[in-house]
Each structure stands twice: as C-alpha cells, then as structure tokens.
C-alpha cells in the first residue's frame, strides 16, 4: 500500500510519556549540587543531554564531566522508569505499530542510546522498527534535521515521504527541516506550531482518518 512511505517516531513523549519522570529525576540529581531545578521541564524538553547538562552546570565542564553527569542522571531515570514502563507507554502506541507494520518505521530521538534501547527493548517494541537512531549517532541534535534524515535513509525512504510523530517544538522543527509531514502528540504540549495534525495520543479517532488520507494522497 505505502511501500515508499515511512513513519518515524520520537521516543520521549511519543512512545513513552516520560516528561514527569525525567523532571523528577533531574530534581533529585541536581539537589546535592545545590543547583536550582526550577523550570526544569521546559529547560530539558526536546534537547539532547549534553545541552541540558551545559545549561544546568554552566559552560566550564569538560566533555568527560558532561558525559558523566548525563550518564549518572540517565541511569537513575532508567531505574525509576523501567518498573512502570508498561503503564507509561503512550496510549495506543503498541496497537498502532502493529496495525501499520507493513510500513517502514524507525525511532529517531535526541535521547541517550541506553535510554532508547531500554524503552524500545523493554516494552517489546523493537520488532516493529527497522531502524533506531539516537542523539549520539548524529553531530547535530534536533532542531537540526539530521536524526530524521538519517532515519529515513536507513529505511530507504525519502524524508519528504515520511510522517514524523513528535511532541516538542524542537522535534517539529527538525522534522519540517527534513521535509517530512508531522503529527503532534499532546503528551507534553497541548498545541504545537507547524504540525499537520495534533492528536491526544494514538487512540485519537482523527489520527486514523488523517493517516489514511496522507497515505493515499502522497
């Protein structure tokens, strides 16, 4: 039906509703350092870990220290997330992936490699994704289009023929710059500028109608 089309999914906020846990983990991690965590939800959303660490700790850190802080925080995140992973999956994601399994699908995320693997493998979703691209496989994170262009290339599909599922402004910008159409998932933001469709989650009835039209007309 749509052999030259592709679906590409962000991870946090699209496959798993993780903003609340990421926020709580950052607050816990920063407390011993005496760093103010106010506004952490907005400061972290849609950004790669090295950017967040520099923002929170300042620009004087070595690359080794940036990596160490990021790795320690993400280890704590996985410790908190994995026991509750199933109930944190975005509603309908598993059924949606199964329904469109004939379409090439990929994950493209700014997230740490270990987080991507833990979520996708831990939730039993890996079999639906022909490619998985994390934030360390490209030089430039979102809002640059690199992760989406790489994912599309690995799928063997032009990025202009992909539909991207995103929950952040940076991700929407990245997808647009890659030439893709974008479905916004309202787990974190109720509205996102620049999307073709905004839905609550993968159970939203409007999504199926829009997908059918998009696959038929493009």
């Amino acid at each position: 039906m749509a052999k030259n089309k592709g679906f590409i999914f962000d991870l946090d906020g699209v496959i798993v509703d993780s903003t609340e846990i990421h926020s709580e983990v950052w607050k816990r991690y920063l407390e011993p350092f005496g760093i103010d965590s106010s506004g952490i939800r907005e400061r972290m959303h849609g950004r790669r870990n090295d950017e967040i660490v520099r923002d929170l700790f300042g620009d004087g850190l070595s690359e080794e220290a940036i990596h160490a802080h990021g790795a320690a925080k993400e280890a704590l995140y996985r410790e908190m997330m994995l026991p509750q992973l199933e109930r944190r999956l975005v509603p309908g994601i598993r059924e949606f992936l199964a329904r469109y399994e004939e379409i090439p699908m990929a994950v493209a995320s700014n997230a740490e490699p270990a987080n991507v693997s833990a979520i996708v493998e831990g939730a039993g979703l890996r079999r639906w994704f022909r490619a998985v691209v994390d934030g360390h496989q490209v030089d430039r994170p979102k809002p640059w289009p690199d992760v989406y262009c790489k994912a599309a290339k690995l799928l063997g599909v032009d990025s202009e023929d992909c539909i991207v599922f995103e929950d952040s402004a940076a991700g929407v910008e990245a997808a647009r710059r890659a030439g893709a159409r974008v479905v916004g998932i309202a787990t974190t933001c109720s509205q996102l500028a620049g999307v073709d469709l905004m839905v609550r989650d993968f159970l939203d009835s409007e999504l199926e109608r829009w997908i059918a039209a998009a696959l038929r007309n493009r």
Side-chain angles (χ1 to χ4, degrees):
M1 173 175 62
K3 63 180 180 179
N4 62 332
K5 306 295 193 295
F7 288 172
I8 308 179
F9 300 79
D10 182 31
L11 182 74
D12 290 300
V14 173
I15 291 175
V16 62
D17 192 354
S18 56
T19 301
E20 179 184 336
I21 295 182
H22 273 298
S23 298
E24 178 60 29
V25 170
W26 271 119
K27 290 175 184 177
R28 292 190 189 185
Y29 185 76
L30 293 172
E31 186 175 3
F33 297 96
I35 295 175
D36 182 12
S37 61
S38 59
I40 189 61
R41 182 186 177 104
E42 293 73 27
R43 293 170 78 178
M44 72 178 189
H45 191 216
R47 303 174 75 189
R48 197 166 66 180
N49 236 16
D50 55 342
E51 298 175 298
I52 302 170
V53 171
R54 287 188 181 94
D55 179 26
L56 293 168
F57 285 84
D59 291 327
L61 293 179
S62 66
E63 289 300 316
E64 292 78 10
I66 291 170
H67 174 77
H69 281 302
K73 179 266 172 183
E74 296 309 338
L76 181 57
Y77 163 76
R78 292 189 296 276
E79 181 182 321
M80 291 182 63
M81 170 59 85
L82 291 180
Q84 52 184 307
L85 176 56
E86 190 62 32
R87 70 180 178 85
R88 291 283 180 176
L89 293 179
V90 173
I93 181 62
R94 193 187 302 280
E95 296 81 2
F96 185 87
L97 295 174
R99 187 156 56 249
Y100 291 101
E101 63 182 356
E102 79 279 7
I103 293 177
M105 293 189 283
V107 174
S109 171
N110 275 351
E112 295 291 299
N115 285 4
V116 178
S117 177
I119 299 302
V120 173
E121 301 283 353
L125 305 178
R126 183 63 180 86
R127 64 192 179 95
W128 283 300
F129 297 117
R130 303 187 191 182
V132 175
V133 181
D134 61 62
H136 289 263
Q137 294 181 39
V138 294
D139 293 330
R140 303 180 301 179
K142 304 172 191 177
W144 296 96
D146 302 30
V147 288
Y148 286 125
C149 292
K150 182 178 178 89
K153 183 176 181 179
L154 290 172
L155 291 178
V157 178
D158 290 338
S159 57
E160 294 84 356
D161 289 319
C162 289
I163 295 171
V164 166
F165 299 85
E166 261 292 351
D167 77 309
S168 73
V172 172
E173 182 179 347
R176 282 300 191 196
R177 292 168 79 174
R181 303 179 79 175
V182 189
V183 174
I185 306 296
T187 51
T188 312
C189 305
S190 59
Q191 293 296 325
L192 286 168
V195 299
D196 295 281
L197 175 70
M198 194 80 196
V199 296
R200 180 186 67 255
D201 53 38
F202 292 92
L203 299 177
D204 195 312
S205 59
E206 183 59 29
L207 178 59
E208 292 302 317
R209 291 192 289 270
W210 186 89
I211 290 286
L215 294 179
R216 183 173 59 248
N217 297 328
R218 189 166 178 179

